[in-house]
Every structure is written in structure tokens, then in C-alpha cells.
Amino acid sequence: MRYDVAVIGGGPSGAVAAAILAHAGLETVLVERNLDNVKPCGGAIPLGLIEEFNLPAELVEKKLSHMRARSPKGRVIGMHMPNGYVGMVRRERFDRYLRDEAGKSGCEVMEGLVSSIERQGDAFIIKTLNDKLPPIEARYIIGADGANSKTADQLHFPPNELKVIAMQQRFRYTPAIQEFSDIVEIWFDGEVSPDFYGWIFPKADHLAIGTGTEDNKHNIKALQKRFVEKIGIAASPYLDEAAKIPMKPRRSFTGDRAILIGDAAGLVTPANGEGIFFAMRSGKLGALAMIDHIKNGSPLALYEKEFRKLYAPIFFGLEVLQSVYYRNDRLRESFVAICADDDVQRITFDSYLYKKMVPAPWSVQMKIFSKNIYHLLKGS
């Protein structure tokens, strides 16, 4: 089986890339290790993503414009998003829809766990575990196979330098937790996560409750158990999920005839761990760059250059925020206090909706800067 492009990994990034490539007339194959896989994920997506990819309404289980931030001492700050909403999706349905769209565009979708990738002349030979699929020959490869990307390892990309282990549990609604059915709640609490945060995301028929911590640094199961205790949930979850999430882009995610996208490239933002938006955007940008490279000879590296141009300021800003405020509970307390400011909320939400840095008047910038200095000194 010979193709122009093989996409390894069938999550949002891989499915989007495969659909665009196939639609452009390139012979494309999408290889997903498990078509029934359920990715541990909060499933929150911004309005801008829904609009850009014209996602059908039935995929978005809830549209939420209210959220709460909770501090270590239990201070709760309510926030409202007046100009948009956070869309809640269920990953098994969401991913299946995107793969189906790739199939409708002419891409072949196959199930198999990639075991090796070898370079032979101007092509790659891809083999799957236990030879589940016949060897696949492709001129180009897109790695979309997550934080522990086999593609990245086989093709010698720089490693993912920082990973978070995330755990999430799903709970059926009961009268005791019904209060969370229409609001997002984020916990900045060292007992829940010493270096990340905990989340409560409502879906149509369940709550998704989870936390994360730097890989191999803390006991994620103990943190999750404590989180559920602090919320006051007595019921048992009907599903446990866990996965590693990269928290820093690889030093490079473009190679010779190959690129990485989504989690495989490390494109999950620090501080908030958002990955779906950047997965789908990198899938789109990567696919368009590959089409231009194949048809017109433009450098494949333009994909990475464009992505960093668009989003490097966001990644840098969130990395600074996490390194400053997530270090201890005193600083987390200060961070939640800053969230009470109306201008902070407006700028944050406006930036979140479309992933663009929103400028603020000089007076507002100085006010926020002064509050940051005050709370940093107080927290220290």
C-alpha cells in the first residue's frame, strides 16, 4: 500500500490534517491505534474553534459562559464570559466525528499500532504491531500520536521535555452534585495539584472531574482521591481515565519529509493544559504547509514558523504565569484574588475565545501590573 502521506494518530490533530490532505487530492492514510479509544480530556473548546471548523451543534453538549476559580483557602471567584462560551464535548464522539469527516474526504482510516518506521529512499515504510496491517509505504509522514509519540522517537525528533500526568473520573449526576451541572469550576489548590490545577467540567449526563501533576513527581491517584473528597462526592465514578500530556513544545517539530502536530509536537499550553484547539490548528497548518510543499516545493518548515508566529506569545505568557503563581498555596491564593478583577476577566476571556493576545489600554495594563506586584509580594 503506497500513499502520498501517512498520518499516524487519529485524534483531533491527525483527523483534521488527514481530511485536508485527502480533500486536496493527496493519497492519504490515517492510522489510529484504537478506534474505540477514549482520550482522558476535559473536553473544553473555545467558540473560535467551533466557528472555524464549523462543528455541528450536536457535538457541543453544553455551552457554558460561567465559571468559578477556587483558592486553597476556599475563596471562590465567580466569572462570566459575556461575549461567548466554552463548549463542552465528549472526546469519544468528537474524535469519531472528525475521523468520519476524514473518511468522507477520501482518506483511508485504518486501525493498528505502529511498531516501526523505516526510511527507504524517498519513502517511509510503516509497520504495525503483530503485522495487523500490511506494510504501509508513504512519501511523507505526519506524527499525531500523542505525548509518547512513536513517530517522534523513530524519526529522531527532539524529546518532549516536560509532561504532566492527568487523571479524570466521570460521575453520573446526583442531587448532591447537580449544582455543578452548568458551571466550570477550577481548583488552584496544592492538595488537589501541587503544580497544576483540578477541574470540574459538566457534560450532558455526567461530571468530568480531574487533576494533573508533573510526571513522576507526585501520586496522581492520591491527588484525585483527595480532590473528590474535598468536593464531597460519595458516589463512585463509572469511568477512570489517565494519560500523559506534554506541557512544552518540542525544540523542533518539523523534519525531512515529516512533521509533528498536536500533543506529539508538545502543543499543549502551560498553566491551563489546553490541547484541542492547538491540536486542530496545528493539524490544519501542518496539512496546508505539506500540500504547498508537495505541489509547489515550498519549505515544509514554514508550518512550524507560522505556528510559532501565531502562538508563541501565548505559550510564553502562560509558562510565565504557571512558573510564578503555581509554586505554592500562598501564591495560588494571590492568583485567585487577581482573578476577581473585571479587567483581568475580560482580557482573559476575550483572548481565550479566539486565541489572540488582546491589547488593553495603558491605564488598565498599569492597574493589572500593580495588582500583580502587590499579590506577588503578599504571596511571597
Side-chain angles (χ1 to χ4, degrees):
M1 295 186 289
R2 182 177 175 87
Y3 299 89
D4 293 315
V5 186
V7 181
I8 312 300
S13 64
V16 164
I20 293 172
L21 291 163
H23 187 74
L26 296 176
E27 293 293 329
T28 307
V29 61
L30 176 66
V31 184
E32 163 58 33
R33 66 182 179 88
N34 181 1
L35 292 174
D36 293 322
N37 181 50
V38 180
K39 171 73 181 289
C41 175
I45 58 175
L47 175 60
L49 190 74
I50 296 169
E51 293 176 344
E52 178 178 357
F53 289 92
N54 196 27
L55 298 174
E58 59 266 24
L59 281 182
V60 182
E61 297 192 356
K62 284 184 179 286
K63 299 177 180 180
L64 303 174
S65 58
H66 290 83
M67 68 174 292
R68 293 191 292 243
R70 187 180 293 266
S71 78
K73 292 182 179 179
R75 179 179 184 180
V76 177
I77 301 298
M79 293 178 276
H80 174 61
M81 191 181 298
N83 301 317
Y85 58 84
V86 180
M88 288 292 159
V89 299
R90 197 178 310 211
R91 283 295 299 271
E92 56 266 38
R93 296 175 180 172
F94 189 73
D95 292 12
R96 190 182 304 116
Y97 165 80
L98 293 175
R99 286 194 295 268
D100 287 346
E101 290 298 297
K104 292 175 184 177
S105 296
C107 169
E108 287 195 55
V109 179
M110 302 180 177
E111 184 175 74
L113 178 60
V114 171
S115 58
S116 68
I117 303 173
E118 298 178 2
R119 187 75 178 265
Q120 290 188 7
D122 65 346
F124 296 96
I125 306 299
I126 303 160
K127 296 182 179 179
T128 52
L129 189 66
N130 300 323
D131 296 321
K132 183 173 182 178
L133 299 174
I136 296 169
E137 183 177 339
R139 295 167 57 207
Y140 296 88
I141 282 186
I142 295 182
D145 44 347
N148 297 320
S149 171
K150 185 76 172 182
T151 307
D153 291 342
Q154 293 278 298
L155 300 183
H156 308 293
F157 280 88
N160 270 326
E161 296 178 1
L162 179 62
K163 297 176 185 176
V164 160
I165 180 74
M167 182 175 181
Q168 180 173 272
Q169 295 175 308
R170 299 186 186 187
F171 294 84
R172 300 289 186 193
Y173 284 119
T174 65
I177 60 175
Q178 195 67 36
E179 65 168 297
F180 297 105
S181 62
D182 286 305
I183 192 165
V184 171
E185 189 157 306
I186 305 296
W187 287 47
F188 300 98
D189 183 344
E191 288 189 38
V192 169
S193 173
D195 45 17
F196 198 53
Y197 66 86
W199 62 89
I200 305 174
F201 286 174
K203 303 300 174 69
D205 62 358
H206 71 271
L207 279 185
I209 298 174
T211 186
T213 185
E214 191 172 329
D215 192 23
N216 297 322
K217 199 169 182 181
H218 303 280
N219 186 325
I220 186 66
K221 290 184 178 180
L223 292 172
Q224 176 70 7
K225 181 181 178 182
R226 181 61 181 143
F227 189 18
V228 172
E229 289 173 350
K230 294 190 77 167
I231 297 171
I233 297 177
S236 298
Y238 74 89
L239 182 65
D240 290 357
E241 313 164 274
K244 290 183 180 179
I245 303 172
M247 296 302 293
K248 192 171 186 178
R250 293 181 192 258
R251 292 195 304 277
S252 172
F253 40 92
T254 306
D256 180 25
R257 292 179 172 266
I259 62 173
L260 303 176
I261 57 179
D263 284 17
L267 304 181
V268 178
T269 47
N272 63 12
E274 185 173 1
I276 298 177
F277 174 90
F278 297 102
M280 294 175 69
R281 284 294 289 148
S282 65
K284 181 177 179 178
L285 292 172
L288 292 175
M290 186 160 282
I291 292 166
D292 199 27
H293 173 72
I294 293 172
K295 294 187 174 182
N296 304 314
S298 61
L300 195 52
L302 289 177
Y303 150 60
E304 183 173 341
K305 183 177 180 181
E306 177 69 7
F307 186 92
R308 292 188 187 275
K309 176 184 174 182
L310 288 170
Y311 302 118
I314 293 175
F315 277 75
F316 175 75
L318 291 173
E319 184 178 5
V320 170
L321 185 151
Q322 181 170 351
S323 65
V324 169
Y325 283 110
Y326 287 23
R327 287 180 291 159
N328 58 55
D329 274 353
R330 291 194 303 275
L331 289 167
R332 277 185 278 268
E333 198 75 39
S334 296
F335 175 67
V336 172
I338 293 173
C339 292
D341 185 272
D342 290 339
D343 287 315
V344 170
Q345 292 185 24
R346 179 182 56 80
I347 293 170
T348 300
F349 288 139
D350 286 350
S351 300
Y352 170 80
L353 289 175
Y354 295 96
K355 294 297 177 289
K356 294 179 181 178
M357 301 296 281
V358 176
W362 179 248
S363 59
V364 173
Q365 293 184 46
M366 289 304 298
K367 183 188 76 169
I368 294 174
F369 175 77
S370 300
K371 284 193 172 186
N372 270 280
I373 295 300
Y374 167 77
H375 285 290
L376 279 172
L377 292 173
K378 184 179 180 182
S380 298

